[in-house]
Amino acid sequence: MKQQISSPALAQPNGHFSQATVADAKGRLLFISGMTARAADGTITGVGNIELQTRQVCENLKAACEAAGGSLKDICRVDVYVRNIEHFDIIHKVRREYFESPVPASTMVEVAKMVKPDYLIEISAIAVLAD
């Protein structure tokens, strides 16, 4: 349903993401709001720990996909907001565990503040679900 696109005219990604992703648009589009490290009970997972927070965010993305009838394999794009860009390698280590090839296209930016001061990462996503 989706395919990773790469070009020799572009530098290879330095993390776990595609330069571009093409998806068959015959399915339904799923737009996932920014997911943080909030567990289902409302508590914040892994305060001060980017690896635990990234895992919780990925679990939240997974839950949203599954609720719509899809899976993480359907995600074509993620936008990642982090409090510390120095966490790049740890975040991508966790992403490798959740996102199989072809991996989604991605943007990651460092931000000064999030809704709660304990949040270290937030990810929004777009998925294409099969009918």
Side-chain angles (χ1 to χ4, degrees), residues 56-68:
Q56 183 63 57
V57 169
C58 289
E59 288 294 328
N60 292 346
L61 291 170
K62 181 180 172 186
C65 285
E66 289 173 351

Side-chain angles (χ1 to χ4, degrees), residues 50 82-88 91 108-111 120:
I50 189 61
V82 297
R83 294 288 306 280
N84 184 345
I85 202 70
E86 301 301 320
H87 291 150
F88 183 93
I91 293 165
M108 182 184 289
V109 296
E110 182 178 270
V111 296
L120 302 176

Side-chain angles (χ1 to χ4, degrees), residues 16 20 48 54 61 70 73 76-77 84-85 87 105 115 118 125:
H16 191 63
T54 304
L61 291 170
K73 292 180 181 181
C76 297
R77 174 165 183 79
N84 184 345
I85 202 70
H87 291 150
V115 173
D118 288 331

Side-chain angles (χ1 to χ4, degrees), residues 95-114:
R95 284 174 59 165
R96 283 181 185 87
E97 297 172 23
Y98 283 89
F99 294 101
E100 300 173 7
S101 186
V103 293
S106 176
T107 297
M108 182 184 289
V109 296
E110 182 178 270
V111 296
K113 292 183 181 179
M114 293 198 181

Side-chain angles (χ1 to χ4, degrees), residues 3-100:
Q3 178 184 358
Q4 185 171 332
I5 303 299
S6 61
S7 167
L10 297 170
Q12 290 301 305
N14 56 359
H16 191 63
F17 60 92
S18 297
Q19 293 168 334
T21 303
V22 65
D24 183 351
K26 293 179 185 174
R28 296 175 296 133
L29 292 176
L30 173 63
F31 298 89
I32 303 173
S33 294
M35 293 289 164
T36 61
R38 284 183 65 209
D41 66 3
T43 60
I44 300 172
T45 299
V47 173
N49 186 315
I50 189 61
E51 184 169 351
L52 292 177
Q53 286 205 8
T54 304
R55 284 185 197 290
Q56 183 63 57
V57 169
C58 289
E59 288 294 328
N60 292 346
L61 291 170
K62 181 180 172 186
C65 285
E66 289 173 351
S71 73
L72 289 175
K73 292 180 181 181
D74 299 315
I75 293 180
C76 297
R77 174 165 183 79
V78 294
D79 292 304
V80 183
Y81 307 94
V82 297
R83 294 288 306 280
N84 184 345
I85 202 70
E86 301 301 320
H87 291 150
F88 183 93
D89 290 337
I90 297 168
I91 293 165
H92 282 272
K93 173 185 166 267
V94 175
R95 284 174 59 165
R96 283 181 185 87
E97 297 172 23
Y98 283 89
F99 294 101
E100 300 173 7

